[in-house]
C-alpha cells in the first residue's frame, strides 16, 4: 500500500481528500498545512507520493517546497491548486513535478493522476553505479554518451540546454527539465531554476552562490540549508 502525504492548509478539504484516497486503497501518512512541518516529517517517514497545494501557510509556498523536496528526495509530487494564472504556470514550469490538478477536481481525475505519477517514478540508483552511467545526447548528428561523473553542470538556454563537462561543452535541443528527469537526483541538484549541478563537483558555496571549477552559480532563497546538509 502506497503512502501519500497531503500538504494542504484547508483542513476540511484535506480530510475530504484523505477519505477519497483511503477509499482508493492508499495510506495517508500525514496532513501538513505548511512547508517546515512537511520537511521535518519527510526526514523520518517513508512517503511514496505527495499531494501539494500551492498556497500554503508560512514563508515557503508549495512551489518552493517542491523545489526543496525534489532536491533531497525521489518522491513524485502532484500539485493541487485553485490558481491557473500565468505567474503560477511560469513558476511551475521550472520545477520537476508529476501532475497538476485544478480545484475543484473529480475523484476519478485524482485517482488517474496518482496512478500515472506512481507508475512514472524512476528506479533508485546506487551512488556506486554512477561511474558506469551515461547521459546520451545527440551532437552534430552523432549519439554521444557522456559519463555522469564528467558532467560539471547544465544550464538552461531557452529551448536548449548547455552541458558543461570536464572535457568540453555541448548544446542540446532539450529543456533543462527533460534532462533532469534522465539524471539521478542524488547526484544532480537544482540550486536555481536555470542550473542543474553535479553535487560532487561543488568546490565551495555560501548563501548566495556555489562554485564549480571557475564558474559562480547562483542559488535560490532557502537552498543554502539544503546544500549544507547535502555536503555534510
Amino acid at each position: 500500500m502506497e503512502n501519500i502525504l497531503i500538504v494542504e492548509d484547508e483542513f476540511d478539504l484535506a480530510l475530504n481528500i484523505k477519505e477519497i484516497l483511503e477509499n482508493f486503497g492508499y495510506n495517508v501518512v500525514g496532513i501538513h498545512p505548511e512547508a517546515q512541518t512537511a520537511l521535518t516529517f519527510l526526514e523520518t517517514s517513508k512517503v511514496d507520493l505527495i499531494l501539494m497545494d500551492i498556497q500554503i501557510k508560512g514563508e515557503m509556498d508549495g512551489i518552493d517546497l517542491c523545489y526543496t523536496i525534489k532536491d533531497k528526495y525521489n518522491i513524485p509530487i502532484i500539485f493541487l491548486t485553485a490558481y491557473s494564472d500565468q505567474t503560477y504556470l511560469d513558476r511551475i514550469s521550472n520545477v520537476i513535478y508529476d501532475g497538476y490538478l485544478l480545484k475543484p477536481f473529480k475523484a476519478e481525475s485524482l485517482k488517474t493522476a496518482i496512478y500515472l505519477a506512481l507508475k512514472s517514478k524512476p528506479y533508485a540508483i546506487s551512488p556506486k553505479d554512477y561511474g558506469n552511467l551515461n547521459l546520451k545526447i545527440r551532437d552534430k548528428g552523432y549519439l554521444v554518451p557522456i559519463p555522469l561523473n564528467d558532467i560539471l553542470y547544465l544550464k538552461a538556454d531557452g529551448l536548449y540546454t548547455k552541458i558543461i563537462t570536464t572535457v568540453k561543452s555541448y548544446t542540446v535541443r532539450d529543456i533543462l527539465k527533460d534532462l533532469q528527469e534522465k539524471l539521478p537526483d542524488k547526484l544532480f541538484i537544482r540550486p536555481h531554476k536555470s542550473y542543474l549541478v553535479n553535487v560532487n563537483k561543488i568546490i565551495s558555496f555560501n548563501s548566495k552562490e556555489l562554485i564549480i571549477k571557475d564558474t559562480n552559480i547562483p542559488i535560490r532563497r532557502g537552498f543554502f540549508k539544503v546544500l549544507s546538509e547535502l555536503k555534510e
Side-chain angles (χ1 to χ4, degrees), residues 5 14 17 20 23 27-28 34-35 45 48 64-65 81 104 114 118 158 162 166 171 175 198 214:
L5 176 67
I17 294 173
I20 293 172
N23 288 335
N27 180 39
V28 176
E34 54 95 25
S45 304
D48 298 301
D64 289 331
L65 177 56
T81 180
I114 292 173
L118 289 172
K162 294 179 179 179
T166 55
T171 299
I175 61 173
N198 186 333
D214 56 354

Side-chain angles (χ1 to χ4, degrees), residues 54-184:
I54 290 179
Q55 289 284 32
I56 55 177
K57 294 179 180 178
E59 295 182 0
M60 186 184 296
D61 68 9
I63 300 174
D64 289 331
L65 177 56
C66 183
Y67 268 116
T68 302
I69 291 173
K70 285 295 187 178
D71 285 330
K72 294 188 68 175
Y73 306 102
N74 187 23
I75 302 175
I77 294 176
I78 297 175
F79 283 119
L80 307 178
T81 180
Y83 298 90
S84 60
D85 60 79
Q86 194 64 42
T87 301
Y88 285 106
L89 294 178
D90 287 342
R91 289 182 62 207
I92 288 173
S93 67
N94 290 316
V95 65
I96 298 296
Y97 63 98
D98 304 271
Y100 179 93
L101 287 176
L102 194 62
K103 299 176 183 177
F105 50 82
K106 295 181 179 179
E108 285 303 315
S109 297
L110 178 61
K111 182 179 181 180
T112 300
I114 292 173
Y115 174 81
L116 293 175
L118 289 172
K119 289 288 286 186
S120 64
K121 182 179 179 180
Y123 293 104
I125 301 173
S126 172
K128 67 181 181 181
D129 296 326
Y130 292 154
N132 301 320
L133 295 178
N134 299 307
L135 174 65
K136 296 179 176 63
I137 66 166
R138 288 203 170 274
D139 181 51
K140 299 177 181 178
Y142 293 92
L143 186 64
V144 179
I146 305 174
L148 297 192
N149 288 336
D150 286 353
I151 299 175
L152 299 176
Y153 63 92
L154 298 85
K155 181 181 179 182
D157 185 16
L159 295 176
Y160 295 83
T161 298
K162 294 179 179 179
I163 304 173
I164 313 300
T165 78
T166 55
V167 179
K168 61 178 293 186
S169 299
Y170 303 88
T171 299
V172 296
R173 191 178 176 83
D174 292 284
I175 61 173
L176 189 60
K177 175 185 173 182
D178 290 343
L179 290 172
Q180 183 173 4
E181 293 176 348
K182 300 177 182 179
L183 296 168

Side-chain angles (χ1 to χ4, degrees), residues 194-213:
S194 298
Y195 290 91
L196 186 65
V197 306
N198 186 333
V199 175
N200 294 336
K201 304 299 183 181
I202 298 174
I203 297 174
S204 61
F205 61 93
N206 57 32
S207 60
K208 295 183 178 180
E209 62 184 9
L210 60 84
I211 299 175
I212 293 181
K213 202 173 180 181

